[in-house]
Amino acid sequence: MNFIEQQGLQTRPSHAWRLIDLIYETGQTPSKWPLLLEALTNTLPESTTNGTHTKHTMQQETLNHVLATHLQHALALNRFIGEQEGVLKSAEPLLATLTFPLLVIDSNYNLVYVGDHYSQIVHGSEYLKLADNTLLVNHPSYQNSFAQIFDGSSNVELLQLEQAEDTEGNRICVLPLPLSNNQTLALMAWFNPGQRSDASCGALASTYELTPAETELLYSLVDDLSYAELASERNVTENTVRTQIKQIFAKTQCHSRAELMQKVLCGPGLLNTLVSWQSDHFFETDLDQARLNQTVTTPNGNPLGFAEYGPKDGFPIILIHNISGSRLQIPVPEARFYEQGIRLIMPDRLGVGLSKAHAHFTIEDWTDAFGALLEHLDVQPLLMGTSMGGFYAMAAAERFPQHFSELCLVSPMTISPPEFDHLLKDDFKALISLFRDAPNVAELTLEIAARDGPARPLDYHIMGLPEADQALFKDQQFYQMSLAAMTENRRYGSMAMARDLALLTHTWPFEPGDIKLPTTIWHGVNDLISPLPAVEDLASSLPNATLYRVPHETHMMINRHWSTIIACLLRKDIARAALSTTQLLQTD
């Protein structure tokens, strides 16, 4: 009997087959990857560690190979689905955030896109069925609406199917989605006007600063009243109603009643995406956009991207971003850097944003690229790294000590021995474990998740954060900045994140003990991403380091303690007062 048979892979049902089913389910629905991650870590046998070398049994290597093969097949499926959804690229930001059930079909009634909530309607409909990725329509009103869209006779107004209401009062609408290649798709959506109007209209009115009279009219529009009914309700003429609606169009940047209704139906969660100026306030309004998109050529010919913030003649600080960030992941609003006189320089790490790299880049590749940036800048900055950026900052400090005045690590990632795993967040513990035992399987798993786009992984990440960190994202400017940074992080998929974790969890090509720079480490006592005991071990191995433990703080402490950290770095004379104020505990 071979290993596959021993594992029960030839017999259904079994735990092994359920795992393989989940692999392919995740290929179709990337949002299931946390479940897959948990299942994989529960399946893989633990490896043994002897010093810095990890040993894998023959059985484990075979199982890793089997799982990797299925993941590659699932990834091919994942990419195919992504290509199909690619035709909706212009509408993707809208579709990804809609909260009502919807589906999109092409002129052959083939399924192009399916929202998360469609099953609650389709499974209960006698007029609509899905078979082999094709929509079967058995309703004259539906058929007529689709025909109008696909033969070009639709006037691009909202096609409301009056007869199509289910027992719960859900209204079904069909809308055309014209694409740049002259193809038109049909979007079918279900909504309940009574349930959605209050929250959605209120959010839209607040976002676009509608007057009370305009807001009242907006509520009536959602109730689908005709112009005559709207005029009668307000004791005004229809011309007056049309004039008022045009004023609403102007404020909400809409050109038709249908477009306005689409914004209302999107719900309050999408409004901040639709109103792009809301995210600009995290940065200076007069910020030279060219400063955000600079590049320098590295020794291997690839570009390394970087951004600059604050005054051009300010004190130079290079900050290396966290694992899901990029050059756009600034810790505080940019106005703070002007107040503090700081010229903040943030490079994209390899494989992120504007920094191109091959899939298996090394730390040496990183320091080579970073050296090119230092030569281009021609300054002697203070070097900082936060989270995963701390790992890369240490590598740069070890290679180029003559270029920096000091090294500062905030919530640094380090090799976390298995005995500290119980201190980690459950999902991050599973991910770290998987990268230790089966990095190839882990990389493929992350790659499948990448098709979900940055918004859903960010939202999933936020849900698992401590309350204090979740509160940061309630500021829409901070959320939009983080989303922009994660979008750049995932420009090439999950390759960079996977490589980061692979390099972190295996033998480092440099010794922390060789870093001679004066080093300060700031770390939260309640950090669930990088356990304090592991960071204490790191601090003890650095020959010239001071560790500040911050009570009650978490992994995102840099966003709350930026000013204190900068004060201690730039104004040594007030460090003692700052430490006393924040009740920090200091160890040598």
Side-chain angles (χ1 to χ4, degrees):
M1 179 181 293
N2 62 31
F3 173 72
I4 303 299
E5 292 170 339
Q6 290 175 357
Q7 294 300 307
L9 297 182
Q10 304 299 328
T11 306
R12 284 180 177 269
S14 71
H15 172 74
W17 269 117
R18 175 58 193 133
L19 175 59
I20 292 173
D21 285 345
L22 186 56
I23 287 174
Y24 288 101
E25 288 174 14
T26 307
Q28 299 174 67
T29 310
S31 58
K32 290 190 175 183
W33 87 269
L35 298 176
L36 175 60
L37 184 63
E38 181 182 2
L40 286 170
T41 53
N42 290 336
T43 299
L44 290 173
E46 292 185 2
S47 57
T48 58
T49 302
N50 180 14
T52 59
H53 300 285
T54 301
K55 294 182 178 180
H56 301 283
T57 65
M58 181 65 69
Q59 183 186 59
Q60 183 177 9
E61 292 290 351
T62 305
L63 180 57
N64 289 355
H65 175 73
V66 171
L67 294 174
T69 300
H70 285 291
L71 281 164
Q72 287 168 343
H73 292 324
L75 188 57
L77 171 66
N78 179 282
R79 288 169 177 161
F80 173 76
I81 295 174
E83 290 170 1
Q84 300 306 304
E85 293 180 3
V87 300
L88 293 174
K89 193 170 185 63
S90 61
E92 190 172 354
L94 174 70
L95 298 175
T97 52
L98 294 176
T99 57
F100 49 76
L102 76 149
L103 54 84
V104 178
I105 61 172
D106 62 18
S107 57
N108 294 318
Y109 289 74
N110 294 323
L111 205 60
V112 177
Y113 182 93
V114 179
D116 287 343
H117 305 279
Y118 84 100
S119 60
Q120 62 185 270
I121 299 294
V122 174
H123 289 174
S125 172
E126 59 182 300
Y127 303 117
L128 299 171
K129 297 296 179 184
L130 291 177
D132 297 327
N133 293 325
T134 300
L135 182 67
L136 305 179
V137 181
N138 183 25
H139 192 290
S141 183
Y142 298 177
Q143 294 167 346
N144 181 58
S145 294
F146 286 129
Q148 289 184 52
I149 288 175
F150 294 134
D151 68 15
S153 62
S154 169
N155 62 0
V156 197
E157 285 288 327
L158 193 67
L159 303 176
Q160 295 202 11
L161 309 183
E162 299 295 343
Q163 306 94 322
E165 287 193 3
D166 62 21
T167 56
E168 297 180 358
N170 291 300
R171 177 74 56 80
I172 300 178
C173 297
V174 180
L175 303 96
L177 281 177
L179 303 178
S180 58
N181 60 1
N182 295 323
Q183 181 185 9
T184 297
L185 305 176
L187 181 150
M188 197 171 208
W190 292 257
F191 72 101
N192 188 309
Q195 293 178 359
R196 296 189 58 81
S197 61
D198 289 348
S200 298
C201 288
L204 189 142
S206 174
T207 299
Y208 292 103
E209 299 181 352
L210 301 185
T211 66
E214 291 167 343
T215 302
E216 182 182 352
L217 179 57
L218 179 64
Y219 278 91
S220 297
L221 287 171
V222 172
D223 290 336
D224 197 30
L225 298 181
S226 66
Y227 288 114
E229 290 170 327
L230 292 170
S232 175
E233 185 181 76
R234 285 163 176 72
N235 294 319
V236 296
T237 66
E238 288 189 39
N239 284 337
T240 299
V241 168
R242 292 180 185 275
T243 299
Q244 292 173 335
I245 291 176
K246 286 181 180 179
Q247 292 171 345
I248 296 176
F249 288 168
K251 288 186 176 181
T252 58
Q253 303 165 30
C254 292
H255 301 88
S256 68
R257 184 171 178 176
E259 191 177 346
L260 178 64
M261 289 303 96
Q262 288 184 49
K263 282 195 176 184
V264 172
L265 297 177
C266 288
L270 182 60
L271 290 176
N272 290 311
T273 301
L274 294 174
V275 188
S276 59
W277 60 262
Q278 289 199 347
S279 63
D280 294 340
H281 292 192
F282 206 85
F283 305 100
E284 284 294 284
T285 54
D286 60 348
L287 178 66
D288 178 6
Q289 291 299 313
R291 295 185 76 200
L292 288 180
N293 301 291
Q294 301 180 71
T295 60
V296 61
T297 302
T298 65
N300 64 11
N302 286 331
L304 181 79
F306 68 99
E308 292 186 78
Y309 303 92
K312 296 180 180 179
D313 59 351
F315 181 85
I317 295 178
I318 295 181
L319 174 61
I320 315 299
H321 60 79
N322 63 18
I323 190 169
S324 61
S326 65
R327 69 189 186 283
L328 304 180
Q329 188 79 47
I330 56 178
V332 292
E334 201 221 351
R336 194 81 59 84
F337 308 135
Y338 283 96
E339 296 168 3
Q340 297 170 330
I342 292 172
R343 175 190 175 191
L344 187 70
I345 303 158
M346 292 199 64
D348 283 328
R349 292 205 307 271
L350 297 185
V352 170
L354 301 177
S355 297
K356 292 185 178 179
H358 57 83
H360 298 288
F361 63 80
T362 64
I363 290 296
E364 289 79 7
D365 292 328
W366 157 251
T367 53
D368 286 347
F370 195 75
L373 176 63
L374 292 174
E375 184 177 347
H376 170 78
L377 294 171
D378 193 25
V379 294
Q380 187 172 22
L382 188 149
L383 179 62
M384 293 183 71
T386 180
S387 187
M388 183 66 74
F391 172 53
Y392 286 90
M394 284 188 283
E398 189 271 338
R399 172 118 177 235
F400 305 108
Q402 72 279 11
H403 283 275
F404 306 110
S405 59
E406 191 170 349
L407 173 64
C408 176
L409 307 175
V410 185
S411 307
M413 301 284 288
T414 184
I415 294 179
S416 180
E419 57 264 30
F420 297 145
D421 281 358
H422 67 283
L423 300 173
L424 296 170
K425 279 178 58 183
D426 288 342
D427 56 347
F428 196 69
K429 175 171 62 177
L431 195 59
I432 291 295
S433 175
L434 197 58
F435 268 96
R436 286 199 201 107
D437 298 332
N440 187 36
V441 170
E443 288 183 29
L444 291 168
T445 304
L446 271 181
E447 194 171 348
I448 286 178
R451 189 176 63 82
D452 242 2
R456 289 187 183 179
L458 178 59
D459 291 341
Y460 170 78
H461 171 67
I462 292 171
M463 287 190 298
L465 291 175
E467 185 175 344
D469 292 345
Q470 288 189 25
L472 292 169
F473 293 92
K474 292 179 180 178
D475 180 343
Q476 283 300 316
Q477 297 167 19
F478 184 87
Y479 178 91
Q480 293 297 332
M481 178 275 296
S482 300
L483 184 58
M486 183 177 279
T487 300
E488 281 294 271
N489 181 276
R490 289 172 173 250
R491 180 181 285 209
Y492 307 110
S494 61
M495 180 267 287
M497 185 180 296
R499 191 60 181 157
D500 286 343
L501 291 169
L503 292 172
L504 177 76
T505 52
H506 292 79
T507 304
W508 292 6
F510 64 90
E511 292 292 338
D514 293 335
I515 299 174
K516 309 302 183 185
L517 282 174
T519 303
T520 53
I521 304 175
W522 297 73
H523 207 77
V525 172
N526 296 336
D527 194 324
L528 300 179
I529 300 297
S530 184
L532 179 61
V535 175
E536 289 174 331
D537 285 351
L538 172 66
S540 66
S541 68
L542 293 164
N544 194 12
T546 300
L547 171 65
Y548 298 117
R549 301 178 182 87
V550 187
H552 313 299
E553 266 300 347
T554 61
H555 195 65
M556 295 183 66
M557 61 164 289
I558 190 172
N559 304 103
R560 288 180 288 270
H561 291 274
W562 172 261
S563 295
T564 298
I565 294 169
I566 293 300
C568 290
L569 290 171
L570 303 186
R571 296 287 305 276
K572 305 295 183 182
D573 55 318
I574 66 171
R576 186 179 302 277
L579 294 176
S580 174
T581 300
T582 55
Q583 297 181 341
L584 299 178
L585 301 178
Q586 178 179 355
T587 62
D588 294 328

